[in-house]
Amino acid sequence: MEGENQTVVTEFIIVGFNDFPQILVPLFLAFLLVYFLVLVGNLLIVVIIYYNTQLHTPMYFFLTNLAFLDICYTTIIFPNMLAHFFLEAQHISLNRCLLQVFFFMSMVSAEFMLLSVMAYDRYVAICNPLRYVETMNDVVCMKLAAGCWIISFIVPIPHVVLISRLSFCGSHTINHFFCDVAAVMNLPCSSTRAVEAANYIAGFIVGVTPFSLTIASYINIISTILKIRSKGGRLKAFSTCGSHLTVVILFCGVICSTYLRPASMVSVKNNKVLSLLYVALTPLCNPIIYSLKNRDFKNTLRKTKNIK
């Protein structure tokens, strides 16, 4: 009888930042500016690499993929968040929420794997330079990039299917600014063990494994660099992977600080603030890091300006 009296939820209300009413306007302007800068910065990277043949190398091919990924990453969240910023209730259907979960998980998975592939590229370039052209040829690069994208769109499917089969018959309010898996998992009135198991499996496939490969690549890279006798040679070798290493530390550090904290340290407001770091900060910082720390990219940008 109790089950018959329960109302099945097919629509959610996303709280967004309505619990910060005193700073809604500054937040809206700040997020609008961040989204604009993410689009411009990453599009600039794609255009510069595309129109400059000297940058048509494996490293910049993967950087183009990363820039395009960051554009998709933020576009999944920001337009919808900005459009509903001043509404008291942001309604979203279950299907749209699941779609957002799917694409957001896909983008996070793709970023983990692309960063790992980029680490492997730097490993081959520094540890096996004589075989670099042969090892990282166009076909191999295309296969690696395609593999990252294909796997990233396969991994979230079990989550979406399992979540769609849950019973949402209690609260229908998501205290977040988008349909984050962790936030959605607080709502079902049925068991979420299957989804939690899928989380662990997906985390191992697209999180732990790529990160471990990245660490292994950099252990070999650092070991090789330390064997270089000249200080100038060491600095030159390290400069080729410094930008990527900075991005890896930033992205993985933010993700870990958000999802690997003890439950006692988690609060709704803090979780939303931390979520902003990987939704907005990393896509915003990536083009800045690569343009400021990468000598080849800065030289190409300088030549492009001189031509104009």
Side-chain angles (χ1 to χ4, degrees):
M1 292 297 294
E2 184 179 353
E4 294 177 0
N5 294 328
Q6 292 176 338
T7 302
V8 177
V9 176
T10 58
E11 188 177 67
F12 299 116
I13 295 176
I14 298 181
V15 173
F17 293 94
N18 288 328
D19 45 355
F20 299 97
Q22 66 278 11
I23 55 171
L24 276 181
V25 173
L27 280 177
F28 174 81
L29 295 176
F31 295 155
L32 183 63
L33 177 62
V34 167
Y35 184 52
F36 173 77
L37 292 176
V38 168
L39 292 182
V40 172
N42 285 286
L43 280 173
L44 184 63
I45 285 180
V46 173
V47 171
I48 288 176
I49 292 175
Y50 180 80
Y51 283 104
N52 290 273
T53 55
Q54 62 266 36
L55 296 182
H56 291 182
T57 63
M59 181 175 72
Y60 292 103
F61 170 73
F62 294 124
L63 178 56
T64 302
N65 277 264
L66 185 64
F68 177 73
L69 171 64
D70 286 337
I71 293 172
C72 298
Y73 201 177
T74 51
T75 301
I76 293 168
I77 307 298
F78 270 71
N80 186 68
M81 179 181 71
L82 292 170
H84 297 91
F85 212 86
F86 297 105
L87 299 178
E88 292 184 5
Q90 305 175 28
H91 294 276
I92 184 170
S93 67
L94 175 59
N95 290 335
R96 282 184 59 200
C97 187
L98 291 177
L99 198 62
Q100 195 173 62
V101 167
F102 173 79
F103 282 110
F104 184 74
M105 288 189 65
S106 295
M107 296 302 104
V108 173
S109 302
E111 182 133 3
F112 265 112
M113 289 185 289
L114 271 175
L115 290 175
S116 180
V117 168
M118 292 172 76
Y120 175 72
D121 171 72
R122 292 300 83 204
Y123 159 75
V124 177
I126 294 174
C127 300
N128 297 287
L130 297 179
R131 298 185 59 188
Y132 180 71
V133 175
E134 177 187 354
T135 303
M136 300 301 294
N137 58 62
D138 291 344
V139 175
V140 170
C141 291
M142 290 294 293
K143 287 182 178 179
L144 287 172
C148 290
W149 286 102
I150 292 171
I151 294 173
S152 70
F153 280 104
I154 293 175
V155 167
I157 292 176
H159 289 77
V160 174
V161 173
L162 291 171
I163 293 174
S164 67
R165 294 180 178 179
L166 295 175
S167 298
F168 295 92
C169 50
S171 172
H172 62 292
T173 301
I174 299 176
N175 199 344
H176 214 292
F177 57 90
F178 72 103
C179 286
D180 184 52
V181 176
V184 174
M185 285 301 92
N186 291 327
L187 304 181
C189 53
S190 56
S191 175
T192 60
R193 290 183 179 179
V195 181
E196 292 171 1
N199 280 338
Y200 286 118
I201 295 172
F204 180 80
I205 294 173
V206 299
V208 175
T209 301
F211 183 70
S212 299
L213 294 174
T214 300
I215 295 297
S217 295
Y218 272 103
I219 288 175
N220 285 281
I221 289 171
I222 294 172
S223 175
T224 300
I225 291 176
L226 292 177
K227 293 177 183 178
I228 299 175
R229 294 183 177 182
S230 68
K231 182 178 179 181
R234 289 196 298 269
L235 291 175
K236 183 179 179 180
F238 189 77
S239 67
T240 64
C241 58
S243 300
H244 176 259
L245 183 59
T246 304
V247 171
V248 169
I249 293 173
L250 177 64
F251 179 73
C252 294
V254 169
I255 290 291
C256 291
S257 65
T258 304
Y259 290 105
L260 298 182
R261 291 172 298 148
S264 59
M265 297 177 60
V266 177
S267 69
V268 175
K269 289 187 178 181
N270 289 341
N271 201 42
K272 281 195 281 191
V273 173
L274 284 171
S275 296
L276 279 173
L277 294 180
Y278 65 80
V279 170
L281 183 62
T282 52
L284 178 63
C285 289
N286 285 357
I288 297 174
I289 291 170
Y290 278 105
S291 61
L292 293 180
K293 292 180 69 67
N294 191 288
R295 184 175 57 188
D296 293 336
F297 193 86
K298 286 191 293 184
N299 290 338
T300 302
L301 184 59
R302 196 176 295 114
K303 291 178 182 178
T304 304
K305 289 180 179 180
N306 292 335
I307 293 174
K308 292 180 180 180

